[in-house]
Amino acid sequence: MLESVGVSAEDEAAYRALLALPGCCLDDLAHRLGRSPDDLNATVLRLEELGLLTRTSDEPSRLLPTRPDVAVDALVAVRRAELDRVRAEARELLSELRAQEQHRPDNLVEVIVGQEAIAARFAQLLNQTKDQLLVLDRPPYASGVEQSDDKVRGLLSAGVTVRGIYSPDSLEVGGVDEAYSAADAGETSRVHPQVPMKLAIFDTTAALLPLSVDALVDSALVVHPCALLDALIEMFRLLWDQAAPMAPAVRDPLDARLMTLLAAGFKDDAIARQLALSSRTVGRRVAELMETLGARTRFQAGIHAQRRQLLDPES
């Protein structure tokens, strides 16, 4: 378990044995592990250097294990600092490339093949995201969506800004509740009736998108800084300005969901199914909202609601 933070399997076995026998001397620990004291002494020195144990000043000295949560947190912090340093050095190495090499087509766009490879690349890009994640959400979905959602929630917990634009199709089959759950977790969400593709943009330094818009295929593109990435970012911003907020700031949660579905272009029957209401009730409430807002179309009602501060105006 601890190999990923620099502890060998043999040293970890000694640390685990010490947790079960805290305060023992070197000979007792060696006897428990079936190793010679001289051989075990090197292990103890390494564990002491890693902060996993301390020795008392007694004679013979006793070995006291550090609490696992404290010790492992410290090791993780050290490893994270090392990885940050390596990442910074990699950026410096990139600057040593000749400008024409940096902008070769094969350096600007990656083709990723296979769902596992795409998921791994997505996770890698998420781990590198420090400031902002922009997402266009629409079907079809690959397996492992829940795991991706958990990683995005982790970014929110770390203070990363996450903005999502949902398509009407993505709100079907329980999607409204999932979208609201993401909004409750800190995501700033909006809905647009015409989301052209699935897309994720990481810190404005990379974008991930599928090769096919409508079919679930085993290939995707990663776009690095270039004119294409600039265009994808601008497209997201234009859609964002046109979209209606997902989390309405109204007193009635039912009205909040109704206005979200209204702005997404859902018909009365579809809204009724989502909200477990009769079509007549939905039709009456939609008509009241459109009359109140002076809107001629359903999507226009969602936009008017946004502009009149019936919906959360946060940008």
Side-chain angles (χ1 to χ4, degrees):
M1 182 186 79
L2 299 180
E3 286 183 315
S4 59
V5 289
V7 182
S8 69
E10 183 180 66
D11 291 355
E12 182 179 345
Y15 175 65
R16 287 177 177 268
L18 187 58
L19 289 173
L21 198 66
C24 68
C25 64
L26 181 65
D27 290 343
D28 292 337
L29 186 60
H31 177 73
R32 184 181 183 89
L33 292 170
R35 296 170 58 183
S36 70
D38 289 341
D39 176 52
L40 184 61
N41 188 56
T43 293
V44 169
L45 288 172
R46 287 193 296 271
L47 292 175
E48 190 173 17
E49 184 177 344
L50 290 169
L52 291 171
L53 68 80
T54 56
R55 299 197 222 201
T56 68
S57 57
D58 302 344
E59 188 58 43
S61 60
R62 292 180 295 114
L63 307 178
L64 302 175
T66 307
R67 277 180 44 172
D69 57 340
V70 174
V72 173
D73 281 352
L75 290 174
V76 168
V78 170
R79 181 53 56 93
R80 183 178 291 120
E82 292 175 351
L83 293 174
D84 288 342
R85 177 180 54 78
V86 171
R87 181 182 298 161
E89 290 177 355
R91 299 292 185 272
E92 293 178 6
L93 286 175
L94 179 63
S95 66
E96 295 177 12
L97 277 175
R98 291 182 305 171
Q100 58 267 35
E101 287 295 316
Q102 291 185 38
H103 294 92
R104 282 175 47 191
D106 52 346
N107 287 333
L108 299 178
V109 178
E110 302 173 44
V111 179
I112 313 296
V113 179
Q115 288 297 329
E116 290 188 5
I118 294 171
R121 192 69 176 98
F122 178 71
Q124 184 182 47
L125 290 167
L126 281 181
N127 290 336
Q128 295 171 357
T129 303
K130 300 300 181 183
D131 299 313
Q132 181 173 254
L133 173 67
L134 309 177
V135 177
L136 296 182
D137 187 292
R138 57 165 288 177
Y141 298 111
S143 58
V145 172
E146 296 82 2
Q147 186 176 11
S148 297
D149 288 344
D150 290 342
K151 291 176 180 176
V152 172
R153 301 292 172 88
L155 288 183
L156 289 167
S157 300
V160 174
T161 297
V162 179
R163 294 186 175 188
I165 302 177
Y166 293 82
S167 72
D169 289 347
S170 68
L171 300 180
E172 295 182 354
V173 194
V176 174
D177 289 337
E178 293 175 9
Y180 270 79
S181 175
D184 290 340
E187 176 182 299
T188 307
S189 309
R190 293 189 175 186
V191 61
H192 194 287
Q194 292 181 319
V195 175
M197 67 178 72
K198 293 166 66 173
L199 174 69
I201 301 173
F202 311 85
D203 278 346
T204 69
T205 59
L208 177 67
L209 64 155
L211 277 177
S212 174
V213 172
D214 296 314
L216 183 59
V217 296
D218 289 342
S219 52
L221 295 178
V222 176
V223 181
H224 296 286
C226 62
L228 176 56
L229 179 58
D230 293 342
L232 291 172
I233 294 171
E234 185 61 26
M235 178 188 70
F236 182 93
R237 289 172 178 164
L238 291 172
L239 290 171
W240 183 262
D241 290 340
Q242 297 169 2
M246 177 68 70
V250 296
R251 295 180 181 178
D252 187 344
L254 193 62
D255 274 354
R257 282 164 169 73
L258 188 149
M259 284 189 280
T260 293
L261 295 170
L262 186 65
F266 278 62
K267 302 300 183 184
D268 288 357
D269 289 344
I271 294 176
R273 287 194 299 271
Q274 288 278 347
L275 303 181
L277 298 174
S278 70
S279 295
R280 172 180 284 185
T281 299
V282 171
R284 184 178 66 251
R285 185 64 185 125
V286 168
E288 291 172 354
L289 283 171
M290 292 180 68
E291 181 178 356
T292 299
L293 296 168
R296 289 177 294 178
T297 67
R298 304 161 72 86
F299 180 66
Q300 192 179 63
I303 298 301
H304 284 350
Q306 176 190 4
R307 290 173 178 170
R308 295 193 185 190
Q309 307 299 309
L310 291 177
L311 303 180
D312 184 1
E314 181 181 355
S315 58

